[in-house]
């Protein structure tokens, strides 16, 4: 395995490259040859500048910066591609660029990217987050996940604020005010600060702005009574690392990122925040409040943050690709067209296994994209168990059971795999949308209201196992083996149609196996004619209902049984449902 990891640092400001250097140092300590690429001249590999601009930079809102006719842009990506071809990296960390992340991923290299605060629900940001194998969030673990990251929660690693600084032994001077401004511009000017200094005669001010910036502000931050900073991630991490009381003046930045970070600090009681530059007369009280705040900056979790980020990136280098997944279905030749749609809409390379309820050779010809195995009988439970055994024999690590009438959304397999990575001992299930006649789609879900539908990227523990539906669910190979050993999988005592999935759920609950609902893992059920109640399955339903009651002491499928009774087809005789004629 390659021990090289690429790191891309955005060149605006110095925060990105400082953060990346810290992560690079920790990756090297983990034994990786980490190489920093950036337009910044301090990079290990200096990339061509692409700042010339040009028309149509957003590619119709699908990207952030890809203008037509920009020679620097072409040279830049050519340089990145050349480095990848020569270095063969095991992974690539991007801080931060949608275009670089997507380009690197297109070369077949696993990507980790940085999470950014603010409003990042636009299509380009979501593209970068969806493609990433890991998302490093440089804020503490207790910070609530922003809405734009919730669909990707399973891959977010909140590592804490990343700073290159540590607290110096300098004695703190309560009267010393250190003013730090980033390179992105500020809403204050020299005249504003002249008025503030006149209003605060008991304080002395040091300005690290423009040409007065220093390479290492450790001593100044460690000795200042109060630091006045904008709301950039690196400035926050630096005052946290040095434990410096702070006044935060969030500046207008793309995607309102500083305003979002400042709100977190204010709500946590870590800093005094002013959304606009306060009038000079308010500054004495503002500085006093900040100095007396006694904020516990250890809560920003800067200690070890760069190492935690490096470990997340190294995890991508070690384990990219995800578990081997098999999609399992059961069908007869009458469902061949529905099954063919299911197979054709799966991502390329996903193994598909069909347990044929009858005519396996005919079904194999009709659906060549599936590995068709003969089920022992037309017994649905036996067919599912047969498909599972075949998947295990072929090395599958995740088993996704999908009814032959269903097609998977583009996110179903990924979200099931992520849910099982977090809950490997559980059975996980997603919502199902019923389509109209002639419809075939994998987007715009309208889930059946009888089943839970959590927010995308989240899971919920099931409170009612009776809501389990065998139309769409997934397990790890290890959990299926546990199920097979504990109660045999689906109970093959059920014949034909009905009851076996409710029985399966009862066994899950009885044997302490978690059932979890997975948000966003949508399946879409293709239309086919049905009868309600299902008259064609009446005898199966009667036999299976009696078998279920013998095991669990209750009648299943009571709604159907009552409808059959109302129609005069069955009656409850001596505690048993029987045909009336």
């Amino acid at each position: 395995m390659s021990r090289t990891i690429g790191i891309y640092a955005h060149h605006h400001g110095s925060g990105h490259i400082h953060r990346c250097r810290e992560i690079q140092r920790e990756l090297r300590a983990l034994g990786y040859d980490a190489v920093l690429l950036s337009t910044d001249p301090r990079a290990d590999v200096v990339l061509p500048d692409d700042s010339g601009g040009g028309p149509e930079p957003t590619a119709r809102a699908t990207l952030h910066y890809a203008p037509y006719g920009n020679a620097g842009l072409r040279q830049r990506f050519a340089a990145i591609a050349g480095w990848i071809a020569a270095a063969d990296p095991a992974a690539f960390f991007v801080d931060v660029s949608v275009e670089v992340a997507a380009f690197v991923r297109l070369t077949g290299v696993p990507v980790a990217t940085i999470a950014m605060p603010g409003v990042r629900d636009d299509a380009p940001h979501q593209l970068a987050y969806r493609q990433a194998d890991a998302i490093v969030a440089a804020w503490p673990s207790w910070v609530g996940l922003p809405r734009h990251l919730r669909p990707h929660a399973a891959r977010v690693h909140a590592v804490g604020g990343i700073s290159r600084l540590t607290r110096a032994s300098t004695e703190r001077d309560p009267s010393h005010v250190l003013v730090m401004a980033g390179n992105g511009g500020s809403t204050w000017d020299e005249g504003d600060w002249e008025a503030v200094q006149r209003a605060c005669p008991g304080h002395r001010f040091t300005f690290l702005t423009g040409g007065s910036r220093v390479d290492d502000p450790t001593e100044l931050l460690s000795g200042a009574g109060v630091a006045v900073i904008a709301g950039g991630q690196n400035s926050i991490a630096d005052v946290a690392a040095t434990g410096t009381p702070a006044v935060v003046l969030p500046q207008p930045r793309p995607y309102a990122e500083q305003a979002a970070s400042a709100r977190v600090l204010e709500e946590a009681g870590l800093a005094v925040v002013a959304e606009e530059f306060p009038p000079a007369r308010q500054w004495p009280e503002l500085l006093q409040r900040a100095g007396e705040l006694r904020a516990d900056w250890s809560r920003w979790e800067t200690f070890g943050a760069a190492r935690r980020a490096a470990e997340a990136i190294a995890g991508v280098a070690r384990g990219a690709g995800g578990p081997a997944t098999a999609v399992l279905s059961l069908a007869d030749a009458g469902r061949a067209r529905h099954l063919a749609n299911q197979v054709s809409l799966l991502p390329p390379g996903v193994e598909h296994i069909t347990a044929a309820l009858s005519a396996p050779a005919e079904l194999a010809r009709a659906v060549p994209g599936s590995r068709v195995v003969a089920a022992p009988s037309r017994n649905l439970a036996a067919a599912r168990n047969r498909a599972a055994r075949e998947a295990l024999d072929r090395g599958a690590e995740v088993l996704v059971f999908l009814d032959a009438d269903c097609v998977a959304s583009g996110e179903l397999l990924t979200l099931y795999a992520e849910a099982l990575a977090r809950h490997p001992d559980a059975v996980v299930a997603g919502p199902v949308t019923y389509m109209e006649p002639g419809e075939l789609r994998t987007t715009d879900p309208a889930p059946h209201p009888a089943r839970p539908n959590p927010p995308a990227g989240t899971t919920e523990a099931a409170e009612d196992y009776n809501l389990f539906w065998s139309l769409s669910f997934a397990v790890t190979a290890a959990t299926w083996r546990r199920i097979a050993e504990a109660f045999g999988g689906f109970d093959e005592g059920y014949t034909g149609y009905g009851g076996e999935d409710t029985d399966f759920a009862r066994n899950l609950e009885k044997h302490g196996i978690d059932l979890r609902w997975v948000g966003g893992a949508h399946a879409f059920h293709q239309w086919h004619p049905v009868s309600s109640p299902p008259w064609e399955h009446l005898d199966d339903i009667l036999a299976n209902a009696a078998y279920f009651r013998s095991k669990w002491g209750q009648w299943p499928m009571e709604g159907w049984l009552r409808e059959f009774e109302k129609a005069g087809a069955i009656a409850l005789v001596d505690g048993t449902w029987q045909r009336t004629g």
Side-chain angles (χ1 to χ4, degrees):
M1 184 188 78
S2 171
R3 301 294 293 180
T4 300
I5 292 178
I7 301 174
Y8 173 84
H10 199 284
H11 52 283
H12 287 178
S14 58
H16 297 286
I17 199 161
H18 285 322
R19 180 161 59 195
C20 286
R21 283 295 189 201
E22 290 302 300
I23 294 172
Q24 179 187 43
R25 180 171 56 81
E26 295 294 346
L27 281 169
R28 287 177 171 173
L30 291 172
Y32 289 91
D33 178 19
V35 179
L36 182 59
L37 297 82
S38 178
T39 308
D40 191 300
R42 294 169 289 183
D44 304 326
V45 176
V46 179
L47 300 172
D49 187 6
D50 64 354
S51 59
E56 193 54 43
T58 69
R60 295 179 178 83
T62 61
L63 299 170
H64 288 149
Y65 187 76
Y68 289 140
N70 187 312
L73 189 70
R74 297 168 189 164
Q75 294 164 9
R76 181 186 193 81
F77 284 112
I80 294 172
W83 182 83
I84 290 172
D88 186 26
F92 208 110
F93 174 59
V94 179
D95 181 3
V96 60
S97 165
V98 169
E99 292 73 30
V100 172
F103 181 79
V104 171
R105 183 64 187 85
L106 282 169
T107 68
V109 176
V111 171
T113 193
I114 193 79
M116 297 295 285
V119 181
R120 311 274 177 168
D121 55 3
D122 57 284
H125 275 111
Q126 290 302 302
L127 171 66
Y129 293 142
R130 286 181 68 178
Q131 289 185 340
D133 287 284
I135 303 169
V136 175
W139 55 66
S141 56
W142 52 263
V143 173
L145 205 60
R147 183 178 298 274
H148 66 271
L149 287 172
R150 290 174 192 169
H152 320 288
R155 288 169 288 121
V156 175
H157 302 261
V159 300
I162 300 174
S163 174
R164 61 199 172 110
L165 310 184
T166 55
R167 173 77 185 273
S169 58
T170 307
E171 185 177 350
R172 200 172 293 284
D173 178 359
S175 68
H176 184 200
V177 180
L178 180 65
V179 180
M180 300 171 62
N183 289 329
S186 60
T187 57
W188 61 67
D189 58 28
E190 188 175 340
D192 292 326
W193 286 111
E194 289 174 355
V196 170
Q197 290 180 86
R198 288 194 298 270
C200 303
H203 291 82
R204 64 183 180 90
F205 287 73
T206 299
F207 296 90
L208 299 184
T209 59
S212 65
R213 292 187 181 88
V214 296
D215 289 336
D216 185 354
T218 301
E219 292 287 337
L220 288 168
L221 275 170
S222 299
V226 176
V228 180
I229 62 171
Q233 287 186 292
N234 280 66
S235 295
I236 294 170
D238 288 348
V239 297
T242 56
T244 308
V247 173
V248 179
L249 305 177
Q251 300 301 294
R253 291 293 185 270
Y255 309 101
E257 64 176 68
Q258 292 200 6
S261 297
R263 279 195 298 274
V264 171
L265 296 175
E266 186 172 39
E267 291 170 2
L270 292 175
V272 174
V273 174
E275 294 184 0
E276 299 178 353
F277 195 89
R281 66 180 183 278
Q282 294 181 7
W283 276 89
E285 188 267 339
L286 200 66
L287 295 173
Q288 182 178 353
R289 279 174 51 206
E292 295 174 351
L293 194 57
R294 301 292 185 266
D296 180 8
W297 275 116
S298 67
R299 295 184 61 208
W300 207 246
E301 299 174 3
T302 57
F303 183 78
R307 172 56 69 99
R308 291 188 288 274
E311 288 170 345
I313 297 163
V316 171
R318 290 192 304 270
T325 298
V327 175
L328 316 180
S329 196
L330 53 144
D332 57 22
R335 284 285 186 267
R337 179 174 296 180
H338 290 76
L339 186 68
N341 288 335
Q342 179 184 105
V343 174
S344 66
L345 292 173
L346 288 172
V350 174
E351 179 157 36
H352 189 279
I353 297 170
T354 301
L357 297 168
S358 64
E362 183 181 347
L363 195 60
R365 286 194 300 272
V367 190
S370 180
R371 178 177 178 82
V372 178
V373 297
S377 67
R378 290 191 63 86
N379 182 303
L380 304 187
R384 289 195 183 95
N385 294 339
R386 173 69 181 90
R389 289 194 299 272
E390 182 71 16
L392 295 180
D393 289 345
R394 295 180 63 79
E397 298 168 275
V398 169
L399 282 58
V400 177
F401 291 79
L402 200 60
D403 187 272
D405 297 325
C406 291
V407 295
S409 66
E411 295 81 22
L412 182 140
L413 299 183
T414 296
L415 290 174
Y416 273 164
E418 290 178 353
L420 290 171
R422 285 177 285 170
H423 306 284
D425 299 325
V427 172
V428 299
V432 177
T433 293
Y434 278 77
M435 294 185 282
E436 297 296 325
E439 267 195 300
L440 185 63
R441 70 180 196 274
T442 61
T443 60
D444 302 322
H448 192 290
R451 298 302 189 277
N453 180 30
T458 66
T459 67
E460 291 180 1
E463 296 181 359
D464 184 356
Y465 276 60
N466 290 319
L467 295 179
F468 173 78
W469 222 350
S470 59
L471 289 177
S472 173
F473 71 98
V475 295
T476 63
T479 297
W480 184 262
R481 290 189 180 97
R482 176 187 170 194
I483 287 170
E485 182 177 346
F487 55 89
F490 285 88
D491 187 340
E492 298 178 18
Y494 291 90
T495 59
Y497 180 87
E500 82 287 347
D501 51 356
T502 306
D503 178 274
F504 182 79
R506 289 288 181 92
N507 270 315
L508 294 179
E509 189 169 24
K510 176 182 176 180
H511 290 85
I513 296 172
D514 287 342
L515 174 63
R516 301 192 71 89
W517 311 117
V518 182
H522 294 285
F524 292 79
H525 189 280
Q526 303 171 78
W527 183 88
H528 59 78
V530 295
S531 58
S532 183
W535 290 99
E536 66 274 24
H537 298 298
L538 175 55
D539 289 329
D540 287 343
I541 289 171
L542 289 177
N544 288 343
Y547 182 58
F548 185 97
R549 188 171 186 271
S550 72
K551 291 182 66 174
W552 304 104
Q554 294 177 290
W555 291 107
M557 304 175 282
E558 283 192 288
W560 287 345
L561 293 171
R562 293 298 179 189
E563 288 187 57
F564 290 133
E565 180 190 36
K566 186 177 179 181
I570 63 173
L572 195 61
V573 179
D574 296 330
T576 302
W577 288 105
Q578 300 179 18
R579 276 185 177 268
T580 56

